[in-house]
């Protein structure tokens, strides 16, 4: 009976590891392309926030670092989480909790013709 239980547990551990590794590989291989307007300071594109200021463009994860809600609005010069009110400045830094971690910077680049932003992640 113990052998069966150990076998079942081993199977679920194997399956969990397989699914987790597959998810990690899939998530690291994503490349998203969105239209880019160099005259717009902030753009919300699904899972990403694109900030274009001081001749520098940065992509951030749009998921609040508190519980993962999607940030899709600004109030004044801050990003505001619609779930619990965490606020971030235009550099992704926490200005008001409950979140305590800054927004994650996502590697990105502007296309050669300047019309798209290519987000890796």
């Amino acid at each position: 009976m113990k052998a069966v239980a150990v076998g079942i547990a081993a199977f679920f551990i194997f399956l969990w590891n397989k699914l987790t590794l597959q998810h990690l590989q899939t998530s690291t291989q994503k490349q998203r392309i969105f239209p880019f307007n160099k005259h717009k300071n902030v753009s919300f594109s699904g899972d990403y926030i694109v900030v274009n200021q001081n001749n520098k463009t940065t992509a951030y994860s749009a998921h609040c670092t508190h519980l993962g809600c999607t940030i899709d609005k600004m109030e004044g010069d801050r990003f505001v989480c619609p779930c619990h009110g965490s606020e971030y400045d235009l550099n992704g830094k926490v200005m008001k909790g409950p979140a305590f971690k800054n927004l994650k910077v996502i590697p990105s680049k502007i296309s050669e013709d300047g019309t798209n932003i290519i987000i890796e992640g």
Side-chain angles (χ1 to χ4, degrees):
M1 194 68 168
K2 283 186 178 181
V4 172
V6 170
I8 291 172
F11 171 75
F12 281 110
I13 291 170
F14 168 78
L15 186 61
W16 178 260
N17 285 336
K18 186 95 169 151
L19 291 173
T20 303
L21 289 175
Q22 182 178 2
H23 171 72
L24 289 174
Q25 290 171 350
T26 303
S27 64
T28 58
Q29 295 172 355
K30 289 182 187 175
Q31 184 181 69
R32 307 281 174 115
I33 300 173
F34 297 100
F36 176 71
N37 180 347
K38 67 180 178 181
H39 302 292
K40 194 169 184 181
N41 290 340
V42 176
S43 302
F44 296 93
S45 299
D47 292 332
Y48 308 100
I49 302 170
V50 177
V51 177
N52 188 31
Q53 63 179 351
N54 303 326
N55 294 322
K56 181 181 176 191
T57 302
T58 307
Y60 298 98
S61 169
H63 295 282
C64 179
T65 58
H66 175 232
L67 291 177
C69 295
T70 301
I71 299 167
D72 60 358
K73 69 176 183 170
M74 290 186 71
E75 290 181 11
D77 61 348
R78 294 182 180 200
F79 304 119
V80 180
C81 177
C83 295
H84 301 108
S86 293
E87 296 181 6
Y88 304 85
D89 69 10
L90 293 178
N91 295 311
K93 292 188 177 11
V94 175
M95 301 305 291
K96 177 184 166 213
F100 61 91
K101 289 183 180 179
N102 297 333
L103 292 176
K104 180 180 177 186
V105 175
I106 307 295
S108 64
K109 62 183 176 182
I110 305 301
S111 63
E112 288 184 24
D113 65 1
T115 60
N116 293 305
I117 183 165
I118 302 160
I119 298 176
E120 307 284 343

